[in-house]
Amino acid sequence: MREHDLPEIRALELFRTMSEPSFDELMRAAYMQTFPAQVQLISEGELADFLFILIEGRVDLLGTNANRETTMAIIKPVGTFILAAVLKDAVHLMSARTAEKSRVLMVPACNIRDILAKDGDFARAITIELSGCYRAVVRDHKNLKLRSSVERLANRLIGLHQAQGATGELVLPYDKKTLASLLNMTPENLSRAFNTLKAYGVSVDNDRIALADMRGLETLAKPNQLIDWRL
Amino acid sequence: MREHDLPEIRALELFRTMSEPSFDELMRAAYMQTFPAQVQLISEGELADFLFILIEGRVDLLGTNANRETTMAIIKPVGTFILAAVLKDAVHLMSARTAEKSRVLMVPACNIRDILAKDGDFARAITIELSGCYRAVVRDHKNLKLRSSVERLANRLIGLHQAQGATGELVLPYDKKTLASLLNMTPENLSRAFNTLKAYGVSVDNDRIALADMRGLETLAKPNQLIDWRL
DNA sequence: CGGTCGGTTGAAGCTAATCAATTAGAGTGG
DNA sequence: CCACTCTAATTGATTAGCTTCAACCGACCG
């Protein structure tokens, strides 16, 4: 990367308070790239190799599910993106695409994690915890933007079923009113959604649910690792 | 707090790797509390005084807007909540209420921040950055769960107007297709929403928007500091 | 026994998505 | 320069999804 960009980067909130050697180490590994518009910088589901910092231009963050796509966020300079995936050494929950010609600083993920490890353990634990919270909300947000209410319910049932040992039965861990609110439905609509799912082998006895046709249910639900399976 | 709980807490991912003196310091300040069901632990809009860690029971995280309420998340043991607000020394974006009798460890926010400051600067900068990302998605999520599409558009316009100097005019920073996706609307529906807003003094000329009746628009939009105003 | 609460059902209405058609502007290539 | 194509944006008609309002049921509780 070019010497001339260094002071600008050093001034960023994220790097301002960092020790000189750590900063040097990071920057030796990092590089500045200029991309034209409409370039796919990262793709959902891939591992996070770099932390991206947008210096100039515009980058859109996108989520997809079952050939639907939605804009999750728009990044403007100066902003980082996909920090959480880098910290967790996890897979991207969103894709990123340049919307204009953009200048981007790319810092290899392993260097970020190295330097973080040298720093305080507690601070590091905090970042991991926080990354987890962040990613959970992103998943929720995608869930809401990209699925109908019946799909959300179906996937929730599949998730609970899994978590409870996949015995063909599950018990709702909260009352239906709460479940409805969590899935952004009215209680009435939840009740109807359960009726809709009867055709897919779902039978309801108060808070006990039986799933008789997992294949069919999954065909409807289209479970998606980048939305559903926390952890 | 009781001696007997200490090993259990120490084993949590968040505290496992922490130095002995730091842990002791935190725990001296912290205390364990048992609450009955249906107790409001924190309220939207208040400052974050404590980091909460749920040890037993269940806590619901709630968001509200214009006398609507929604369940944002359900916390089960062992889990932290409102970490981001604590790190940013900011106001809560969600309320928290016990759903069952719950045992909760409360760590004063200032102690968390003190210990974090002693640890590496970079790790600390990362947590702040990440908290910001997290809170942004929470805001987006509330926006989507608690407002209609016309309300979302109206608030977006108010926000852009503000950001551009509140001159009575604003320029859309992205094309309408992107704006629609960001607001979770179809382009057709966005176009109709703009028509609906004509009655509230909004006139559209390509990407240039004029707001002639801020009072009326705000009455419709009901802007909410806990959803809209980033930073 | 009346009261409340969680849940279900039906009817009506509203919000938003879909499908189809049209216009206007930008860019391409003969 | 003029057709040609592409795309963004708008409009209308229709349909799907969801909410709202109202009534009702059964369980639990005083």
Side-chain angles (χ1 to χ4, degrees):
Chain A
M1 68 156 297
R2 289 171 296 173
E3 278 298 317
H4 130 271
D5 291 316
L6 278 174
E8 185 184 3
I9 297 163
R10 179 84 220 204
L12 298 180
E13 192 55 48
L14 197 56
F15 299 119
R16 216 169 35 82
T17 56
M18 193 173 205
S19 76
E20 197 64 46
S22 291
F23 182 72
D24 290 347
E25 185 182 332
L26 260 195
M27 287 308 115
R28 256 195 310 276
Y31 47 102
M32 187 73 84
Q33 279 272 48
T34 302
F35 296 99
Q38 305 302 333
V39 169
Q40 187 92 359
L41 296 180
I42 58 181
S43 299
E44 263 190 36
E46 292 181 353
L47 269 172
D49 295 321
F50 296 94
L51 171 65
F52 287 74
I53 301 167
L54 178 64
I55 307 294
E56 254 181 59
R58 197 190 102 194
V59 170
D60 292 354
L61 263 34
L62 311 161
T64 58
N65 184 48
N67 52 8
R68 280 159 53 82
E69 179 183 279
T70 192
T71 306
M72 295 289 291
I74 291 179
I75 310 289
K76 301 223 169 166
V78 177
T80 61
F81 47 102
I82 55 143
L83 179 53
V86 166
L87 294 176
K88 295 214 85 156
D89 195 7
V91 119
H92 296 297
L93 297 178
M94 301 182 273
S95 301
R97 183 193 306 149
T98 55
E100 316 166 349
K101 179 161 182 277
S102 298
R103 211 150 59 89
V104 173
L105 178 67
M106 298 168 64
V107 186
C110 54
N111 297 79
I112 296 275
R113 288 191 291 264
D114 280 358
I115 289 184
L116 206 58
K118 287 184 201 160
D119 277 329
D121 282 334
F122 180 56
R124 198 171 147 283
I126 290 262
T127 65
I128 302 299
E129 169 74 17
L130 198 51
S131 301
C133 299
Y134 172 70
R135 289 165 62 84
V137 190
V138 170
R139 294 179 122 106
D140 281 347
H141 202 54
K142 283 175 73 174
N143 194 32
L144 193 54
K145 286 193 90 166
L146 294 164
R147 299 213 268 229
S148 72
S149 65
V150 174
E151 286 171 339
R152 293 199 296 276
L153 174 59
N155 280 295
R156 191 51 144 246
L157 293 180
I158 291 171
L160 288 169
H161 179 241
Q162 204 95 358
Q164 293 177 20
T167 59
E169 294 208 346
L170 66 98
V171 177
L172 294 180
Y174 15 77
D175 63 19
K176 291 185 184 153
K177 213 175 155 185
T178 304
L179 178 61
S181 178
L182 198 57
L183 296 174
N184 214 37
M185 312 166 67
T186 57
E188 296 95 323
N189 196 26
L190 175 64
S191 184
R192 281 162 195 143
F194 270 122
N195 277 327
T196 307
L197 290 182
K198 269 184 194 161
Y200 298 85
V202 176
S203 47
V204 181
D205 169 24
N206 291 314
D207 64 346
R208 295 164 37 83
I209 317 278
L211 308 183
D213 175 17
M214 285 305 294
R215 199 70 58 82
L217 190 60
E218 286 185 353
T219 308
L220 170 80
K222 296 175 219 48
N224 178 334
Q225 275 200 287
L226 301 177
I227 302 182
D228 306 299
W229 294 321
R230 338 253 138 173
L231 261 179
Chain B
M1 68 156 296
R2 289 172 298 175
E3 277 299 317
H4 129 272
D5 290 317
L6 278 174
E8 184 184 2
I9 296 163
R10 180 81 217 204
L12 298 180
E13 193 55 47
L14 197 55
F15 300 119
R16 217 169 36 79
T17 56
M18 193 174 206
S19 76
E20 197 63 46
S22 290
F23 182 71
D24 290 347
E25 185 182 333
L26 259 197
M27 287 308 115
R28 254 196 310 276
Y31 47 102
M32 187 72 85
Q33 279 273 45
T34 302
F35 296 99
Q38 306 303 330
V39 169
Q40 187 93 359
L41 297 180
I42 57 180
S43 300
E44 264 189 36
E46 292 181 352
L47 269 171
D49 295 320
F50 296 93
L51 171 65
F52 288 74
I53 301 167
L54 178 65
I55 307 294
E56 255 180 58
R58 198 190 100 196
V59 170
D60 293 355
L61 262 34
L62 310 161
T64 58
N65 184 47
N67 53 8
R68 281 160 53 83
E69 180 183 278
T70 192
T71 307
M72 294 290 290
I74 290 180
I75 310 290
K76 300 224 167 165
V78 179
T80 60
F81 49 102
I82 55 141
L83 179 52
V86 167
L87 295 176
K88 294 214 84 156
D89 194 7
V91 119
H92 297 297
L93 297 179
M94 301 182 273
S95 302
R97 182 194 304 150
T98 55
E100 315 167 349
K101 181 163 181 277
S102 299
R103 211 150 58 90
V104 174
L105 178 67
M106 298 168 64
V107 187
C110 53
N111 297 80
I112 296 276
R113 288 192 291 263
D114 280 358
I115 290 184
L116 206 57
K118 288 184 201 159
D119 278 330
D121 281 334
F122 180 57
R124 198 171 148 283
I126 289 262
T127 65
I128 301 300
E129 169 74 17
L130 197 50
S131 300
C133 299
Y134 171 70
R135 289 165 63 83
V137 189
V138 170
R139 293 179 123 107
D140 281 347
H141 201 56
K142 283 175 73 174
N143 194 32
L144 193 54
K145 286 191 90 166
L146 294 164
R147 298 214 267 229
S148 72
S149 64
V150 174
E151 286 171 338
R152 293 198 296 276
L153 174 59
N155 280 295
R156 192 53 144 240
L157 294 180
I158 291 171
L160 288 169
H161 179 240
Q162 204 93 0
Q164 293 177 20
T167 60
E169 293 209 347
L170 66 98
V171 177
L172 294 180
Y174 16 77
D175 63 19
K176 292 188 183 150
K177 210 176 159 185
T178 304
L179 178 61
S181 178
L182 198 57
L183 297 174
N184 214 37
M185 312 167 66
T186 57
E188 295 95 324
N189 197 24
L190 175 64
S191 184
R192 281 164 193 138
F194 270 122
N195 277 328
T196 308
L197 290 183
K198 269 183 195 162
Y200 297 85
V202 176
S203 47
V204 181
D205 168 24
N206 291 314
D207 64 347
R208 296 164 36 84
I209 318 278
L211 307 183
D213 176 17
M214 285 305 295
R215 200 69 60 81
L217 190 60
E218 287 185 352
T219 308
L220 170 81
K222 295 176 219 50
N224 179 334
Q225 275 200 286
L226 300 177
I227 301 183
D228 305 296
W229 296 321
R230 337 253 136 173
L231 259 179

